[in-house]
Each structure stands twice: as C-alpha cells, then as structure tokens.
Amino acid sequence: MKCPNCDNRNIDVYNAQGFTSVESPIKECECGHVWRLVPLRGGKHKIDIIKQSLGLP
C-alpha cells in the first residue's frame, strides 16, 4: 500500500479505539497524512481521510 498523498510506502498501521476496526485500520505516512480504507460492496474500498497532510516531506 502507498500513501494516497505522496506515494510513499513507509507508513505506520495501527488501531485506534473507537475510530477503526481490524478490517479498516488507520494508516499514517511520514508526510503526516492519516487515512483508512472503508470497505464497500464488490471488494472495492473508499479512502477516508482523517487528517490531511500539510505538505509533502
């Protein structure tokens, strides 16, 4: 998986109580972008941006 903001592959994946689940963990990039993938029907996903990056690293 790559960051949708900067295409970096160095991301941290974690669960935050009340904010995510095992199926949709939160991902945080070195650039500051925080997002998760929300599962949709048909095996597709939607990107849910939690915190927009302030800029590229």
Coordinates of all heavy atoms in Angstrom, one line a residue:
M1 N 0.8 -1.2 0.0 CA 0.0 0.0 0.0 C 0.9 1.2 0.0 O 1.9 1.3 0.7 CB -0.9 0.0 1.2 CG -1.4 1.3 1.6 SD -3.2 1.4 2.0 CE -3.9 1.6 0.4
K2 N 0.5 2.2 -0.8 CA 1.2 3.5 -0.8 C 0.3 4.6 -0.3 O -0.9 4.5 -0.3 CB 1.5 3.9 -2.3 CG 2.5 2.9 -2.9 CD 3.0 3.4 -4.3 CE 1.9 3.4 -5.3 NZ 2.3 3.8 -6.6
C3 N 0.9 5.7 0.2 CA 0.2 6.8 0.7 C -0.5 7.5 -0.5 O 0.1 7.8 -1.5 CB 1.2 7.8 1.4 SG 0.4 9.4 1.8
P4 N -1.8 7.8 -0.3 CA -2.5 8.5 -1.4 C -2.1 9.9 -1.6 O -2.4 10.5 -2.6 CB -4.0 8.4 -1.0 CG -4.0 8.2 0.4 CD -2.7 7.5 0.8
N5 N -1.3 10.5 -0.7 CA -0.9 11.9 -0.8 C 0.5 12.0 -1.5 O 0.6 12.8 -2.3 CB -0.8 12.5 0.6 CG -0.4 13.9 0.6 OD1 -1.1 14.7 0.0 ND2 0.6 14.3 1.3
C6 N 1.4 11.1 -1.1 CA 2.8 11.3 -1.6 C 3.4 10.0 -2.2 O 4.5 10.0 -2.7 CB 3.7 11.8 -0.5 SG 4.0 10.6 0.8
D7 N 2.6 8.9 -2.3 CA 3.0 7.6 -2.9 C 4.2 7.0 -2.1 O 4.8 6.1 -2.6 CB 3.4 7.8 -4.3 CG 2.2 8.0 -5.2 OD1 1.1 7.6 -4.8 OD2 2.3 8.6 -6.3
N8 N 4.4 7.4 -0.9 CA 5.5 6.8 0.0 C 5.0 5.5 0.5 O 3.8 5.3 0.8 CB 5.8 7.8 1.2 CG 6.9 7.3 2.0 OD1 7.5 6.3 1.8 ND2 7.3 8.2 2.9
R9 N 5.8 4.5 0.6 CA 5.5 3.2 1.2 C 5.8 3.0 2.6 O 5.5 2.0 3.2 CB 6.1 2.1 0.3 CG 5.5 2.0 -1.1 CD 6.1 0.8 -1.8 NE 5.6 0.7 -3.1 CZ 4.4 0.1 -3.5 NH1 3.7 -0.4 -2.6 NH2 4.1 0.1 -4.7
N10 N 6.5 4.0 3.2 CA 6.8 4.0 4.7 C 5.6 4.5 5.5 O 5.6 5.7 5.8 CB 8.1 4.8 4.9 CG 9.3 4.1 4.3 OD1 9.4 2.9 4.1 ND2 10.2 5.0 3.8
I11 N 4.7 3.6 5.8 CA 3.5 4.0 6.6 C 3.4 3.2 7.9 O 3.9 2.1 7.9 CB 2.2 3.9 5.8 CG1 2.0 2.5 5.3 CG2 2.2 4.8 4.6 CD1 0.7 2.2 4.6
D12 N 2.8 3.7 8.9 CA 2.5 3.0 10.1 C 1.0 2.7 10.1 O 0.2 3.5 9.7 CB 2.8 3.9 11.3 CG 4.2 4.2 11.6 OD1 5.0 3.3 11.3 OD2 4.6 5.3 12.0
V13 N 0.7 1.4 10.5 CA -0.6 1.0 10.5 C -1.0 0.6 12.0 O -0.2 0.0 12.7 CB -0.8 -0.3 9.7 CG1 -2.2 -0.8 9.7 CG2 -0.4 0.0 8.2
Y14 N -2.1 1.2 12.5 CA -2.5 0.9 13.9 C -4.0 1.0 14.0 O -4.7 1.5 13.2 CB -1.8 1.9 14.8 CG -2.0 3.3 14.5 CD1 -3.0 4.0 15.1 CD2 -1.2 4.0 13.6 CE1 -3.3 5.4 14.8 CE2 -1.4 5.3 13.3 CZ -2.4 6.0 13.9 OH -2.6 7.3 13.6
N15 N -4.4 0.5 15.2 CA -5.9 0.6 15.5 C -6.0 1.7 16.6 O -5.2 1.8 17.5 CB -6.4 -0.7 16.1 CG -6.5 -1.8 15.0 OD1 -6.8 -1.5 13.9 ND2 -6.2 -3.0 15.4
A16 N -7.0 2.5 16.5 CA -7.4 3.5 17.5 C -8.8 3.2 18.0 O -9.7 3.1 17.2 CB -7.3 4.9 16.9
Q17 N -8.9 3.1 19.3 CA -10.2 2.7 19.9 C -11.3 3.7 19.5 O -11.1 4.9 19.6 CB -10.0 2.6 21.4 CG -11.2 2.1 22.1 CD -11.0 1.9 23.6 OE1 -10.0 2.4 24.1 NE2 -12.0 1.3 24.2
G18 N -12.4 3.2 19.0 CA -13.5 4.0 18.6 C -13.4 4.6 17.3 O -14.3 5.3 16.8
F19 N -12.3 4.4 16.6 CA -12.1 5.1 15.3 C -11.9 4.1 14.2 O -12.0 4.5 13.0 CB -10.8 6.0 15.4 CG -10.9 7.3 14.7 CD1 -9.9 8.2 14.9 CD2 -12.0 7.6 13.9 CE1 -9.9 9.4 14.3 CE2 -12.0 8.8 13.3 CZ -11.0 9.8 13.5
T20 N -11.6 2.9 14.5 CA -11.3 1.9 13.4 C -11.7 0.5 13.9 O -12.2 0.3 15.0 CB -9.8 2.0 13.0 OG1 -9.6 1.2 11.9 CG2 -8.9 1.6 14.1
S21 N -11.4 -0.4 13.0 CA -11.6 -1.8 13.4 C -10.5 -2.6 12.8 O -9.6 -2.1 12.1 CB -12.9 -2.3 12.8 OG -12.9 -2.3 11.4
V22 N -10.4 -3.9 13.0 CA -9.4 -4.8 12.5 C -9.5 -4.8 11.0 O -8.5 -4.8 10.3 CB -9.6 -6.2 13.1 CG1 -8.6 -7.2 12.4 CG2 -9.4 -6.2 14.6
E23 N -10.7 -4.7 10.4 CA -10.9 -4.7 9.0 C -10.5 -3.4 8.3 O -10.2 -3.4 7.1 CB -12.4 -5.0 8.6 CG -12.8 -6.4 9.0 CD -13.3 -6.4 10.5 OE1 -13.6 -5.3 11.1 OE2 -13.3 -7.5 11.1
S24 N -10.4 -2.3 9.0 CA -10.1 -1.0 8.5 C -9.2 -0.2 9.4 O -9.6 0.8 10.0 CB -11.4 -0.2 8.3 OG -11.2 1.0 7.6
P25 N -7.9 -0.7 9.5 CA -7.0 0.0 10.4 C -6.6 1.4 9.9 O -6.7 1.7 8.7 CB -5.8 -0.9 10.4 CG -5.8 -1.6 9.1 CD -7.3 -1.8 8.8
I26 N -6.2 2.3 10.8 CA -5.7 3.6 10.4 C -4.3 3.5 9.9 O -3.5 2.8 10.5 CB -5.8 4.6 11.6 CG1 -7.3 4.8 11.9 CG2 -5.1 5.9 11.3 CD1 -7.5 5.6 13.2
K27 N -4.0 4.3 8.9 CA -2.6 4.3 8.3 C -2.1 5.7 8.4 O -2.8 6.7 8.1 CB -2.7 3.8 6.9 CG -3.1 2.4 6.7 CD -3.6 2.1 5.3 CE -4.1 0.7 5.2 NZ -5.3 0.4 5.9
E28 N -0.8 5.9 8.8 CA -0.2 7.2 8.9 C 1.1 7.2 8.2 O 2.0 6.3 8.4 CB 0.0 7.6 10.4 CG 0.6 8.9 10.6 CD 0.6 9.4 12.0 OE1 0.4 8.5 12.9 OE2 0.9 10.5 12.2
C29 N 1.3 8.2 7.3 CA 2.5 8.3 6.5 C 3.5 9.2 7.2 O 3.1 10.0 8.0 CB 2.2 8.8 5.1 SG 3.6 8.9 4.0
E30 N 4.7 9.1 6.7 CA 5.8 10.1 7.2 C 5.4 11.5 6.9 O 5.9 12.4 7.6 CB 7.1 9.7 6.6 CG 7.6 8.4 7.1 CD 8.9 8.0 6.5 OE1 9.2 8.5 5.4 OE2 9.6 7.1 7.0
C31 N 4.7 11.7 5.8 CA 4.3 13.1 5.4 C 3.2 13.7 6.3 O 2.9 14.9 6.1 CB 3.9 13.1 3.9 SG 2.2 12.5 3.6
G32 N 2.6 12.9 7.2 CA 1.6 13.4 8.1 C 0.2 13.1 7.7 O -0.8 13.4 8.4
H33 N 0.0 12.5 6.5 CA -1.3 12.1 6.0 C -1.8 10.9 6.8 O -1.1 9.9 7.0 CB -1.2 11.8 4.5 CG -2.5 11.8 3.8 ND1 -3.1 13.0 3.5 CD2 -3.2 10.8 3.2 CE1 -4.2 12.7 2.8 NE2 -4.3 11.4 2.6
V34 N -3.1 11.0 7.3 CA -3.7 9.9 8.1 C -5.0 9.5 7.4 O -5.8 10.3 7.1 CB -3.9 10.3 9.5 CG1 -4.5 9.1 10.3 CG2 -2.7 10.8 10.2
W35 N -5.2 8.2 7.1 CA -6.3 7.7 6.4 C -6.7 6.3 6.7 O -5.9 5.6 7.4 CB -6.1 7.9 4.9 CG -5.3 6.8 4.3 CD1 -5.7 5.7 3.6 CD2 -3.8 6.8 4.3 NE1 -4.6 4.9 3.2 CE2 -3.5 5.6 3.6 CE3 -2.9 7.6 4.8 CZ2 -2.1 5.2 3.5 CZ3 -1.5 7.2 4.6 CH2 -1.2 6.1 4.0
R36 N -7.8 5.8 6.3 CA -8.1 4.4 6.4 C -8.9 4.1 5.1 O -9.5 4.9 4.5 CB -8.9 4.1 7.6 CG -10.3 4.7 7.7 CD -11.0 4.4 8.9 NE -12.3 5.0 9.0 CZ -13.3 4.6 9.6 NH1 -13.3 3.5 10.3 NH2 -14.5 5.3 9.6
L37 N -9.0 2.8 4.8 CA -9.8 2.3 3.7 C -11.1 1.8 4.2 O -11.1 0.9 5.1 CB -9.0 1.2 2.9 CG -7.8 1.7 2.2 CD1 -7.1 0.5 1.5 CD2 -8.0 2.7 1.2
V38 N -12.2 2.3 3.7 CA -13.5 1.8 4.1 C -14.0 0.8 3.1 O -14.1 1.1 1.9 CB -14.5 3.0 4.2 CG1 -15.9 2.5 4.6 CG2 -14.0 4.0 5.2
P39 N -14.2 -0.5 3.5 CA -14.7 -1.5 2.6 C -16.1 -1.2 2.0 O -17.0 -0.7 2.8 CB -14.7 -2.8 3.4 CG -14.2 -2.4 4.8 CD -14.1 -1.0 4.9
L40 N -16.2 -1.4 0.7 CA -17.5 -1.2 0.0 C -17.9 -2.5 -0.6 O -17.1 -3.5 -0.5 CB -17.4 -0.1 -1.1 CG -17.0 1.3 -0.6 CD1 -16.8 2.1 -1.8 CD2 -18.0 1.9 0.3
R41 N -19.1 -2.6 -1.1 CA -19.5 -3.8 -1.8 C -18.7 -4.1 -3.0 O -18.1 -3.2 -3.6 CB -21.0 -3.7 -2.2 CG -21.9 -3.9 -1.1 CD -23.3 -4.0 -1.6 NE -23.9 -2.6 -1.6 CZ -25.1 -2.3 -1.9 NH1 -25.9 -3.3 -2.3 NH2 -25.5 -1.1 -1.9
G42 N -18.6 -5.4 -3.4 CA -17.8 -5.8 -4.5 C -16.3 -5.8 -4.4 O -15.6 -5.8 -5.3
G43 N -15.8 -5.8 -3.1 CA -14.4 -5.8 -2.9 C -13.7 -4.5 -3.1 O -12.5 -4.4 -3.1
K44 N -14.5 -3.4 -3.3 CA -13.9 -2.1 -3.5 C -13.7 -1.4 -2.2 O -14.3 -1.8 -1.2 CB -14.7 -1.3 -4.5 CG -14.8 -1.9 -5.9 CD -15.6 -1.0 -6.8 CE -15.6 -1.7 -8.2 NZ -16.2 -0.9 -9.2
H45 N -12.9 -0.3 -2.2 CA -12.6 0.5 -1.0 C -12.8 1.9 -1.3 O -12.5 2.4 -2.4 CB -11.2 0.2 -0.4 CG -11.1 -1.2 0.1 ND1 -10.7 -2.2 -0.8 CD2 -11.2 -1.7 1.3 CE1 -10.6 -3.3 0.0 NE2 -10.9 -3.0 1.2
K46 N -13.1 2.7 -0.3 CA -13.1 4.2 -0.4 C -12.1 4.7 0.6 O -12.0 4.2 1.8 CB -14.5 4.7 0.0 CG -14.7 6.2 0.1 CD -16.1 6.5 0.6 CE -15.9 7.6 1.6 NZ -17.2 7.9 2.3
I47 N -11.3 5.7 0.2 CA -10.4 6.3 1.1 C -11.1 7.3 2.0 O -11.7 8.3 1.6 CB -9.2 7.0 0.4 CG1 -8.4 5.9 -0.4 CG2 -8.3 7.7 1.3 CD1 -7.4 6.5 -1.3
D48 N -10.9 7.1 3.4 CA -11.5 8.1 4.3 C -10.3 8.8 5.0 O -9.5 8.3 5.7 CB -12.2 7.3 5.4 CG -12.8 8.1 6.5 OD1 -13.0 9.3 6.3 OD2 -13.0 7.6 7.6
I49 N -10.2 10.1 4.6 CA -9.0 10.9 5.1 C -9.4 11.4 6.5 O -10.4 12.1 6.7 CB -8.7 12.1 4.1 CG1 -8.3 11.5 2.8 CG2 -7.7 13.0 4.7 CD1 -8.1 12.6 1.7
I50 N -8.6 11.1 7.4 CA -8.8 11.5 8.8 C -8.0 12.8 9.1 O -8.5 13.7 9.7 CB -8.3 10.4 9.8 CG1 -9.2 9.2 9.6 CG2 -8.4 10.9 11.2 CD1 -8.7 7.9 10.2
K51 N -6.8 12.9 8.6 CA -6.0 14.1 8.7 C -5.2 14.4 7.5 O -4.4 13.5 7.1 CB -5.1 14.0 9.9 CG -4.2 15.2 10.2 CD -3.3 15.0 11.4 CE -1.9 15.5 11.0 NZ -0.9 15.1 11.9
Q52 N -5.5 15.5 6.8 CA -4.8 15.8 5.6 C -3.4 16.3 5.9 O -3.2 17.0 6.9 CB -5.5 16.9 4.9 CG -4.9 17.4 3.5 CD -5.1 16.3 2.5 OE1 -6.1 15.7 2.3 NE2 -4.1 16.1 1.7
S53 N -2.4 15.8 5.1 CA -1.1 16.3 5.3 C -0.9 17.8 5.0 O -1.6 18.3 4.1 CB -0.2 15.5 4.3 OG 1.1 16.1 4.3
L54 N -0.1 18.5 5.7 CA 0.1 19.9 5.5 C 1.0 20.2 4.3 O 1.2 21.3 3.9 CB 0.7 20.5 6.8 CG -0.2 20.5 8.0 CD1 0.6 21.1 9.2 CD2 -1.5 21.2 7.8
G55 N 1.7 19.1 3.8 CA 2.5 19.3 2.6 C 3.4 18.1 2.5 O 3.4 17.2 3.3
L56 N 4.1 18.0 1.4 CA 5.0 16.9 1.1 C 6.2 17.0 2.0 O 6.7 18.1 2.3 CB 5.4 16.8 -0.4 CG 4.2 16.5 -1.3 CD1 4.7 16.6 -2.7 CD2 3.6 15.1 -1.0
P57 N 6.8 15.9 2.3 CA 8.1 15.9 3.2 C 9.2 16.5 2.4 O 9.3 16.6 1.3 CB 8.3 14.4 3.5 CG 7.5 13.6 2.5 CD 6.5 14.5 2.0

